[in-house]
Amino acid sequence: MPEDPIAQSEIAALTRRFEEVSERTDREFGIVKSDLTALRLQVGNLDQKVGNLDERVGELAGAVHGLSEKIDRNQAQIVELLTQLVGRHPDAS
């Protein structure tokens, strides 16, 4: 039975379209894969920076707590000194 030239032509055209789409899909998949790799690196860097930031915030919180305690002690001393001065005559030594 002879081959149908129209059918062969259609098969060839479909094959070319399939190959073109396949190549395009492979390229696009490669781009997506590359972008995903870059994104993973950026997320890793951000994760590291957040970890460092957490450490710094902890240090800052400790420093603020220490400063708060020092302010409280100084205020208590001021109140104590003012309390001792209440009722004293200004000219008394």
Side-chain angles (χ1 to χ4, degrees), residues 6 10-12 40 43 53-55 62 77 90:
I6 296 174
E10 289 294 321
I11 289 173
R40 284 181 178 156
V43 167
L53 184 59
D54 284 344
E55 184 179 326
Q77 287 177 339

Side-chain angles (χ1 to χ4, degrees), residues 51-63:
N52 292 340
L53 184 59
D54 284 344
E55 184 179 326
R56 294 285 189 186
V57 167
E59 292 171 1
L60 182 59

